[in-house]
Amino acid sequence: MKTLIDSTHALIGGLAAIRRQFNVPEQFPPAVLAAADSAARRAPTAHVDRTSRSFVTLDPATSRDLDQAFAIERSGNDLLLHYAIADVAWFVEDGDAIDREAWQRGTTLYLPDGKAGLYPPVLAEGAASLLPGVIRPAVVFTTRVDGDGHVHLDGAERVIIRSTAKLAYDSVRASDLPVDFDELARRIEAAEARRGAARVDPPEQEVDALGDGRYQLSFRPRLRAEAQNATLSLASNVAIADALLAAHTGLFRVMPEPDQQAVQRLRQTARALGLTWPEMEPLVQFEKTLDPADSGQAAFMLAVRRASGGASYVPYREGTVPWHAPMAATYVHATAPLRRLADRYVVRAALAVANGQPVPPEVSAAFEQLPAVMAKADARDGQIDRIVIGLAEALMLQGSEGTAFEAVVTDADEHGLRIQLCELPVVARVRGQGSKPGDRIRVRLTSADPLKHVVNFERAD
């Protein structure tokens, strides 16, 4: 980890400039805030009482916008995952001021100096959030998970729940979690492995505010509790996707397999990493043999992810099976409606389908419009993340021009090498060939420009 002391307020000024560049909203319009205040007082009247069931949440410790809570029970050899999703649609009506503003935003934006929410805090961190010890409306999807990890959506209902605990990734104990939590995660992970899912969760580069003008740039490895919690969301999203596909409706998250040219490049990458990929074996079959715990094999799995192109949203189309290659499944986003606009509509469609009701026409119409809205929001989110990291890296390294650093090669292509510094949480590119992922090299810092959010290195060996 590395702490930046922002004594000159350069980082604060840079973040303010990024907000201006991308038109990050500073606050909600008064009409939206007034509508949210009114909506927050809406009592749940179309909901079944499930407050006797012991739901818990598991999130980052500081989170207040809690989309999901879960409970687990046995049904013979099967496990039933009761996944409660914040019932945002109960508070937000089609075409109202809150809804119109959400369509402008698309997602919640997270920056080190604060977030720009999809919905006003009175809803996102209050009336709609599944906070502990208070009654909250939710949509509960019950997913049956058999001994092999296969999932099936057993039902969905609007309920009121009372979460019994707000658990945090970095402090949760096994005794805090529902019985069979570990077994449920194991089954889902085993099913992913069998179907050839190529989901890799490398450490993430992050900038976090520590207060008093201090920021921390670090690589945050994914904690085991976080990875296990993700399997619950993934299982629910796959089960919901299967149900929507069978009903000939939905908005799906898709990501293609690499094309043939990309596969040929991947074969070169495999050779560089010392992996044995039989010539006649398809990529999807080879991926099933890989172990993400092995650094070389994990590097190859990440190369596959990059070669596949970006993920996107598509509405249901007759005769087409929407496919998410890294998941090796048909997949939707339904479990984060407080943070993603699309999820609110997928939840509404799945609730209708699970109860034998027609999907509301306004939801079907939204499925046609959402891909463009979400693509724009996703692109903006990615750009902001990259620029924020670049700003922090440049500020950290400013004044060290000419210094040599030890680095590890994480990727190599025709444009040069992608490197990670050994002593600092910095990722960069450097020109040069003759090295492969995993090699240690020496690089020299040639420039660090906070205004342009870039750092440049050259080979020093």
Side-chain angles (χ1 to χ4, degrees), residues 133-250:
V134 290
I135 291 176
R136 288 290 185 262
V139 176
V140 169
F141 293 103
T142 297
T143 297
R144 182 176 295 271
V145 184
D146 70 15
D148 291 326
H150 299 130
V151 299
H152 178 268
L153 185 63
D154 266 16
E157 58 179 356
R158 267 186 152 153
V159 304
I160 53 171
I161 68 167
R162 183 189 288 109
S163 171
T164 60
K166 180 182 182 292
L167 307 177
Y169 295 139
D170 59 358
S171 62
V172 64
R173 300 166 300 179
S175 58
D176 299 328
L177 293 161
V179 175
D180 290 319
F181 176 81
D182 285 346
E183 171 62 14
L184 180 62
R186 185 200 66 76
R187 291 185 184 189
I188 296 166
E189 289 170 340
E192 283 190 282
R194 279 192 296 272
R195 68 175 186 259
R199 199 166 50 86
V200 182
D201 299 309
E204 296 179 358
Q205 204 175 7
E206 290 188 344
V207 180
D208 296 309
L210 302 177
D212 301 324
R214 296 177 303 130
Y215 290 83
Q216 181 174 277
L217 175 63
S218 63
F219 284 110
R220 185 184 66 82
R222 202 171 210 202
L223 300 173
R224 176 58 181 160
E226 185 177 2
Q228 288 179 303
N229 190 49
T231 65
L232 276 58
S233 177
L234 294 170
S236 300
N237 284 330
V238 169
I240 291 168
D242 289 344
L244 292 176
L245 183 63
H248 294 197
T249 187

Side-chain angles (χ1 to χ4, degrees), residues 70-89:
F70 58 90
I72 301 167
E73 67 173 311
R74 281 203 172 256
S75 176
N77 187 49
D78 296 343
L79 295 176
L80 297 181
L81 168 61
H82 303 292
Y83 211 55
I85 307 300
D87 192 0
V88 180

Side-chain angles (χ1 to χ4, degrees), residues 282-303:
L283 173 61
V284 66
Q285 191 67 31
F286 179 56
E287 286 184 281
K288 292 181 181 180
T289 69
L290 300 176
D291 178 8
D294 180 278
S295 59
Q297 296 179 47
F300 181 80
M301 295 167 82
L302 288 170

